[in-house]
Amino acid sequence: MNVSMEKQPRMTETVQSAPRGQEAAEQPAVQVSNLGKSFGAVEVLRDIELEISTGEVITLIGPSGSGKSTLIRCMNLLETPSSGTLQVMGETLVQDGKILPKRSQLQEFRAKVGMVFQSFNLFPHLSALENISLAQVHTLGRRRAEADERSAQLLDSVGLGQRMNHMPAHLSGGQQQRVAIARALAMDPDVMLFDEPTSAIDPELRVEVLKVMRDLAQSGMTMAIVTHELKFARMISDQVLFLADGTIVERGTPDELFGAPQHERTHQFLAAIEETKL
Ligand SMILES: Nc1ncnc2c1ncn2[C@@H]1O[C@H](COP(=O)(O)OP(=O)(O)OP(=O)(O)O)[C@@H](O)[C@H]1O
Ligand SMILES: [Mg+2]
C-alpha cells in the first residue's frame, strides 16, 4: 500500500470538510451511552459506551459478527438502538432506546451524518456528477447549478475531475467508492461513518480510496470507520476500539491497542489476522 503510514498533522487542503462552529468543539461530536441492540431475542450489542470528539478519527475492529456494522448503523439511526442514549453534535437523538426526532426530521439528521457502505449504492442510470447532485437538490434544496458546481469541486478533490460524466458501470470499484464518498460529503456532514469501505474493491484500487479517507481525516473531519485494514487503522486513527461478542473489549491509541493489547481476546484476534497474511 502506498498510503504514507506516517500519521500526519491535520489540515491539509485536499478534501475539505465543512467548517464547524466554535461551540461544536466543546462537546463530543458523537456520544453513545449504555447502548444495546437486540434483534428479536438475540442481543448483538450491549453496554456500549463511546465518545468521538470533534475532528477525531476512531476505528472499530473485531471479528465477523461482533456487531461493528450494527453499532455504526445505530449511530445514524439506520438501526434503532434497543436501549441507551445517542447524542450527535449535542442533540439527543435516542433516549432510553427511543428515537426522539420526528420521522420528518430524520432525513435532515442523516444528511449530517454521512455514511459510506461496502457496496457503493450509486444510481446506475445517473452520471457521477448527477449522483452527487441529486440529494443536494432534493434534501438540501440547492439550486441545480449550485449543486453541480459543488459536485464538480468534490469530484476534483477525490481525483475524479476527469470522470464527472461517466456512468457508474464505466467506473472501477475504487472510483465508484470515491464518488460515494463525494456524495456523502456534498451534504456537508458533521460526521462521516464508513463500514468496510474498501472490502469490495480490488486490492490495487483500494489505495486511492484510503488516500481520500486519509486526506479527509487530515482536513479535520470527525470519522468512525469499520475496517479490516489494520495498517491503515493504525495510521489514521486517534482511537481504536476492539469489539467482540457485542461489547467493546478494549480501546486505546493505535500504539496501545496494536502494540500492547491488554486482553487475551484482542491478542487472539490480532494474531489470527497476522496468520492469514502468511
Ligand atoms: N437485521 C438483522 N436481523 C437479525 N440479526 C442481525 C441483523 N443484522 C445483524 N444481525 C446479527 O447481529 C450480529 C452482528 O452483526 P454485524 O453485522 O453488526 O457484525 P459485524 O461485526 O459487522 O460483522 P462483519 O465483520 O461480518 O461485517 C450478527 O450475529 C448478525 O447475524
Ligand atoms: Mg459488518
Side-chain angles (χ1 to χ4, degrees), residues 38-59:
S38 300
F39 290 108
V42 184
E43 189 182 45
V44 299
L45 289 176
R46 63 181 183 282
D47 303 332
I48 301 289
E49 302 280 338
L50 83 88
E51 204 174 282
I52 314 175
S53 303
T54 300
E56 192 179 30
V57 177
I58 70 156
T59 48

Side-chain angles (χ1 to χ4, degrees), residues 105-150:
Q105 296 167 316
L106 282 182
Q107 195 178 16
E108 195 185 324
F109 158 70
R110 288 215 179 90
K112 288 283 162 201
V113 182
M115 178 105 191
V116 175
F117 302 89
Q118 182 175 351
S119 51
F120 328 117
N121 301 333
L122 300 178
F123 287 112
H125 61 291
L126 298 180
S127 68
L129 187 97
E130 289 165 337
N131 262 286
I132 301 172
S133 291
L134 190 69
Q136 294 180 64
V137 172
H138 289 285
T139 306
L140 302 185
R142 282 188 188 146
R143 284 180 299 109
R144 183 62 200 244
E146 190 192 345
D148 284 350
E149 196 181 321
R150 176 93 170 111

Side-chain angles (χ1 to χ4, degrees), residues 155-173:
L155 279 169
D156 224 19
S157 74
V158 299
L160 294 173
Q162 304 300 314
R163 293 194 162 70
M164 294 186 196
N165 298 318
H166 282 48
M167 304 305 273
H170 297 143
L171 295 170
S172 71

Side-chain angles (χ1 to χ4, degrees), residues 75 94 111 187 195 245 258:
M75 286 187 213
V94 177
M187 309 305 283
D195 191 357
D245 303 324
F258 293 115

Side-chain angles (χ1 to χ4, degrees), residues 64-65 67-70 118 195-196 226 228:
S64 181
K68 306 179 297 296
S69 294
T70 306
Q118 182 175 351
D195 191 357
E196 296 198 42
V226 174
H228 291 291

Side-chain angles (χ1 to χ4, degrees), residues 36 77 80-86 92-101:
L77 301 182
T80 308
S82 309
S83 58
T85 304
L86 168 71
T92 304
L93 298 163
V94 177
Q95 181 116 48
D96 299 328
K98 292 217 166 39
I99 293 184
L100 300 188

